[in-house]
Each structure stands twice: as structure tokens, then as C-alpha cells.
Amino acid sequence: MEKVYDYIIKNQLIKPGEIIGVACSGGRDSIALLHYLNSIKDSLECKVLAINVDHCIREKSAMDTIFVEDFCKENKIKLYKFKVDALKIAREEGIGTEEAARKARYGVFEALVQKGVVDKIALAHHLSDQTETILLNIFRGSGITGAKGMSPIRDGIYIRPFLSTSREEIDKYNSDNVLSFVEDETNKDNGYARNFLRNIVIPMIKKHFPALDKNLQNFKDNCTEDLEYINSQIPKNAYIKNKDVIRLPISMIQFPPAIINRILLEILSNYTYKDIERKHINIIKQFAIEAKNGSAINLPEGIKVYKEYDFITFTPKTDKTTELDYTFKKGKTYIPGFGGIRVVSSKVFNEIKENQQVVDAFRIPENAKWRFMEEGDLFKPFKSTSERKLADFFTEKKIPKRLRNNIPILANGKKVLLIADVEISDDVKVTDDSTELYKINYTKDLY
């Protein structure tokens, strides 16, 4: 197992002083990893502890936890054990049992890292797991990213010291060290895609191509190099992100597919990793080129995409706009979907600050109200002598249709006195004769 030590050093998986939590189910791979890391912890100048998560799916899972407890006591390894109800999570969230178990398990890992109990989580994925992962990704229609397979370290937290180690080498290590382990009976259930590959497909392939693991590892390395080059060609700041709204210049769509596809995948990963397929990427590109300004499309997970002049804009799932009808008053008002409005009176006209409007207090009627735009609204822009339709003004200013129904306006009947943080009407402007002013400050949530 010397090459495992070299692999750890080469990939900087463990640094001196770190606390490594080994995810241990009691199976052959995790027992080998826990035993091995514990045996070299002094050389690595780190601490090693075990983490066991009982998903409560199998009848024998509690016995597996007891086995891990006994193993840790025998080897003087500190153990953190947890129990989660994966079946309940699957029912409540409408997801598969495997996905629910993984979600719960990684939730435990992340909590331990956040609380400072461990610095990193060691996972027992090995070379055969890598082979299975790459083949699964290929069979599912993945591109070069999927062919890259698993990495030695993910998110700076999850490490895989055995990733270049074969199952045969792990079995030999267990035999040489007389290590017992438990068998998960579900590993024989070929109804699971990974088990079908592991138990049926891969053994048949290896009869004709015995070097499958090694060759796929070379394929993975080549794909990784190609992917790194492609990623290096992606322009920095390709898109604009403001909170949970992302805007991509339509001109970017003209980049080669290898570039723009990755930019779009990166954008969508801000909202979900689930149910996004190549067809959705193609739909977005076609939409950006062919759709009319102001159009919108819906993607999985509630993601919405708008075409707004020179940009396509991505937004997450949002609640329906709240009806608005607030009387204008001094003090603070919060408008859902837009943000905060604070009105203060003043007798001094200073330089107008960012996100601020200043109006003549005596030109604001007592019955003026904050509301959203309505059909027939009229507006006389600042320094203009005539009124026009509010909708026409929005078009002239290139304000996206997505935002128009969420920008508060101060109105008296159909007469618009100001558009929040956009423009004031010439009818309420400050003049030399103004004696009292309203300074209106905005803190926006809307983009």
C-alpha cells in the first residue's frame, strides 16, 4: 500500500494537523481505509476518527454499526455514530431511497466539518469504483465532464486516498492484516444500476479487455487534460450575477459549443444539479437567438429564463407578485419582491445619492399611493413637457418586462408621480420655490 501513501502526498489530500473523519460502513473498503489511515497517522501528522451513519434501510444495519463500534474499540479509534431515516426522507421529498440516503449521509458529514469536529472526510472509493462511475456516466450520455470521473479531492473536504488502488489490492491488504468486515446484502441486488455494472457487465468486459480499469484511468486522464484546456478558454466574468439573478450577454451564445455549453451549465448549477440535460442547454441557445424580446421559458426546478434586450436572464423559482396598495407616508415601507423604501422630510436640497430620489413634498397629493403599474397609466418624465404611456417609457428605458410588474410606482389615480429608483415625474420635481422636500431612499432586492 505504499503507493496509497505516495498518492496522498502527491495530491495533498492530508496536511499536518488535520483531523480526518473516515466514513466507515463496516464494509471491506471502508474498514481497509480506516485501518490504513490509522496506521500511518503519525507519519502524516494527522488525527483519524471514524464516522458511521446508519440509514435505517436494511434490517441488519444496526448490527453493522455494532461491528464498527467493536472495530474502533479494538483499534482505539474514536467513533461518531449517527442514525438517519432515509426512507422517511425519500417519502417526504419524493426522491429515491439511494438519493435520500446520500443526502442524509452528506448532511451529517457537512455538519461535522462546519462544527470543526473534522477537517476532511475520507471516502473509500477505489479504482473499480472509478471504472463504474465513468461507465455509468458514459451510458447515461454524459460528455467529457462525466468521463473525467471522480477526483482525488472534492470541495476541499472530501478525499479519496484509495482512488488509484484496485479492489484486489484492498482485498490483499485486508487478508494480510486479518481484517474482518461486513457484507451489505444489497450489493447483490442487480436492480441497482451500479450493481448491474459491477456484477454482470464489467466481469464480461474484463474477459475480453482485462486491462479495463487501467485503460479507463488513462481515458479519464486524457479527458481531464482536455477539460482543463477547454475551461482555460472560458472568458472570465462571462456572466453577471446579482444575488440569485444571473444575466448572460446574448453575444456569448456565438462561442463554440464546448465553451458556451459549460458556461450555461455553470450558470444553472447555481440553482440545481438535478434534471438538467443537454436538451435544456440547446433549448436555451435556440431561445437566445430566435425568441422575441420579453419572452420567457421554464426549465426544471422552477428555473425561468428571459430574453431581455442584449441579455438572457436566469431567475430561480419565485412566488407570485404580492398585490400592492400602500398609502404614501414618511418612514419605512417594505414591498415584497422589491425591497425597502424610506421617506424622510427635509428642507435642504443636497446632491442626490445613489438609490435616492428627491421630490417637492407639496406636490405629492394626500391620496397618493404606492402600487404596481396598471393599464392606462400615464407618466411625464423629468424635464419633459408631455405625458406618455408608462409602458412606452419602460420600453424606451429598456426595462425588462420581467421587472415592470414588480417595480413600485407612486401614483394619484392613473397619473404616475414617480417610478421607484428609476425616475420622477416632472410634475413633482424640486424647484427654486420648493420649501419642503421628501428624500426617498431605496434598498432593493430586485434585479
Side-chain angles (χ1 to χ4, degrees):
M1 300 287 274
E2 286 184 7
K3 74 174 188 178
V4 177
Y5 186 91
D6 294 338
Y7 187 79
I8 292 171
I9 300 301
K10 176 183 175 182
N11 292 281
Q12 300 181 335
L13 301 188
I14 299 174
K15 297 177 182 177
E18 287 186 328
I19 304 173
I20 308 301
V22 181
C24 186
S25 65
R28 69 176 70 191
D29 305 328
S30 63
I31 283 292
L33 180 62
L34 178 59
H35 185 273
Y36 178 70
L37 290 182
N38 190 56
S39 71
I40 63 170
K41 62 184 179 183
D42 292 339
S43 297
L44 294 173
E45 299 179 40
C46 69
K47 294 182 180 180
V48 172
L49 57 83
I51 304 167
N52 175 264
V53 181
D54 179 358
H55 302 97
C56 299
I57 298 174
R58 299 160 39 245
E59 291 183 5
K60 296 181 179 180
S61 62
M63 295 176 61
D64 294 349
T65 297
I66 293 173
F67 173 85
V68 174
E69 282 184 287
D70 292 340
F71 181 87
C72 289
K73 287 178 183 177
E74 182 181 343
N75 291 276
K76 298 179 181 179
I77 300 171
K78 189 172 184 179
L79 170 66
Y80 286 84
K81 58 180 182 177
F82 301 87
K83 184 178 287 189
V84 297
D85 193 338
L87 295 175
K88 181 180 178 182
I89 294 171
R91 287 194 305 270
E92 291 178 348
E93 300 192 16
I95 57 179
T97 303
E98 278 188 290
E99 184 180 351
R102 186 182 188 281
K103 183 175 183 179
R105 181 168 66 253
Y106 276 83
V108 169
F109 296 157
E110 289 170 13
L112 289 172
V113 172
Q114 289 175 3
K115 292 179 180 179
V117 177
V118 297
D119 296 301
K120 288 175 181 170
I121 304 291
L123 306 173
H125 297 129
H126 49 75
L127 188 58
S128 296
D129 291 322
Q130 182 76 290
T131 296
E132 293 163 10
T133 297
I134 293 172
L135 288 177
L136 275 174
N137 289 339
I138 292 172
F139 293 155
R140 288 167 176 165
S142 169
I144 192 172
T145 302
K148 195 180 83 158
M150 295 181 285
S151 58
I153 184 166
R154 178 169 66 84
D155 300 333
I157 297 173
Y158 300 101
I159 61 174
R160 300 181 173 102
F162 277 178
L163 202 52
S164 66
T165 305
S166 69
R167 176 172 280 124
E168 292 75 20
E169 289 172 309
I170 293 172
D171 286 342
K172 185 176 184 306
Y173 180 83
N174 286 338
S175 177
D176 291 346
N177 291 276
V178 196
L179 299 179
S180 300
F181 50 84
V182 296
E183 292 280 4
D184 184 343
E185 63 271 18
T186 62
N187 288 337
K188 299 178 181 179
D189 183 353
N190 294 327
Y192 294 106
R194 188 174 286 272
N195 288 349
F196 176 71
L197 268 182
R198 178 183 302 157
N199 300 330
I200 297 177
V201 177
I202 290 177
M204 293 178 65
I205 294 175
K206 284 187 173 181
K207 287 181 180 180
H208 297 277
F209 303 98
L212 175 66
D213 290 340
K214 179 182 177 181
N215 291 341
L216 272 184
Q217 181 71 18
N218 292 335
F219 173 67
K220 166 202 167 301
D221 292 341
N222 291 334
C223 288
T224 300
E225 291 173 1
D226 291 348
L227 185 60
E228 288 175 353
Y229 172 75
I230 293 171
N231 287 338
S232 73
Q233 301 305 301
I234 296 176
K236 293 182 179 179
N237 303 318
Y239 54 86
I240 304 164
K241 184 176 181 182
N242 221 329
K243 294 189 177 178
D244 56 3
V245 176
I246 296 175
R247 302 171 71 215
L248 175 72
I250 291 177
S251 59
M252 297 295 296
I253 300 297
Q254 304 302 323
F255 273 77
I259 302 296
I260 185 58
N261 290 355
R262 280 165 177 77
I263 292 174
L264 291 172
L265 283 171
E266 183 178 326
I267 289 173
L268 294 172
S269 71
N270 286 271
Y271 307 115
T272 183
Y273 285 100
K274 184 180 177 184
D275 297 331
I276 296 298
E277 303 172 8
R278 186 180 184 88
K279 67 178 181 181
H280 298 118
I281 300 298
N282 292 334
I283 287 171
I284 294 170
K285 292 191 291 187
Q286 184 178 6
F287 170 77
I289 295 169
E290 299 179 1
K292 293 181 179 180
N293 181 59
S295 302
I297 56 173
N298 296 305
L299 296 180
E301 297 293 297
I303 303 169
K304 201 153 189 175
V305 186
Y306 301 84
K307 186 170 184 177
E308 298 176 344
Y309 301 100
D310 297 328
F311 292 87
I312 50 173
T313 301
F314 299 79
T315 66
K317 184 177 182 179
T318 56
D319 296 327
K320 191 175 180 180
T321 300
T322 306
E323 293 298 323
L324 175 64
D325 186 7
Y326 294 133
T327 300
F328 181 81
K329 62 183 180 180
K330 289 189 287 185
K332 295 181 180 179
T333 300
Y334 180 77
I335 298 179
F338 174 79
I341 299 175
R342 184 168 64 91
V343 179
V344 295
S345 60
S346 176
K347 295 185 180 297
V348 180
F349 182 79
N350 297 325
E351 182 180 355
I352 299 176
K353 299 177 182 178
E354 187 177 359
N355 301 121
Q356 183 185 72
Q357 291 173 321
V358 181
V359 299
D360 187 316
F362 290 109
R363 294 190 176 197
I364 303 295
E366 290 185 4
N367 57 347
K369 291 184 177 181
W370 291 109
R371 62 171 174 80
F372 295 122
M373 71 177 295
E374 296 175 355
E375 185 70 29
D377 281 340
L378 298 173
F379 180 60
K380 188 200 309 188
F382 183 63
K383 292 186 179 180
S384 176
T385 57
S386 60
E387 288 184 327
R388 68 189 73 174
K389 291 181 179 179
L390 179 60
D392 291 342
F393 175 78
F394 278 142
T395 300
E396 177 187 321
K397 291 293 183 180
K398 293 189 175 182
I399 295 176
K401 290 183 178 180
R402 169 180 60 91
L403 302 180
R404 296 179 188 182
N405 291 325
N406 292 280
I407 299 176
I409 61 172
L410 183 64
N412 180 26
K414 290 296 182 181
K415 183 175 182 177
V416 178
L417 306 172
L418 67 82
I419 306 165
D421 207 29
V422 177
E423 189 156 338
I424 67 169
S425 167
D426 196 71
D427 291 334
V428 297
K429 68 183 179 183
V430 176
T431 68
D432 293 339
D433 298 327
S434 300
T435 58
E436 187 169 350
L437 319 174
Y438 283 137
K439 294 182 178 180
I440 308 171
N441 302 284
Y442 303 98
T443 305
K444 293 196 297 183
D445 297 331
L446 185 66
Y447 293 93

